[in-house]
Amino acid sequence: MIDTDKYEGHTEGPWDYDSEGQRVDINADDDLTYEVICSKVLTDADGSLIADAPLLLEEVKRLREAIADIADNMHAADASYMCGFIDDLWKVIEWLTQTSTRDTMKITLRE
């Protein structure tokens, strides 16, 4: 598991990747831009991944919180609700494994 506490205090961003200059621009709150020059040639995918680091970190934190909320509330759910929840979760997992893009999810979940 990733210890996200070690990232506390990082520059929020946005971060941008400049493929021509082989650098990541980190935009700080104080109107300064830090340029991180890459010593080796990066692929566009690697540069984009580095630039998206703040967004990925926030997504990890959001998902951890959502999982904790689900776990905290499971004790209050009855068996039929949990069966429906698990069925819906499998639908989402199947959808995620069949798409490589962020298509709009078109699955009808149980109420």
Side-chain angles (χ1 to χ4, degrees), residues 1 6 12-13 17 23 25-26 31 33 44 68 76-77 93 95-96 106-108 110:
M1 182 181 297
K6 67 184 177 184
E12 296 291 325
Y17 174 62
R23 70 175 191 262
D25 296 328
I26 300 174
D31 294 328
T33 299
D44 284 347
I93 291 169
W95 177 81
L96 288 172
K106 297 175 181 132
I107 296 174
T108 304
R110 279 177 50 160

Side-chain angles (χ1 to χ4, degrees), residues 59-77:
E59 184 67 6
V60 166
K61 289 179 180 180
R62 187 189 68 78
L63 291 171
R64 283 185 180 173
E65 186 176 316
I67 291 168
D69 286 346
I70 291 169
D72 288 344
N73 292 310
M74 286 181 112
H75 69 279

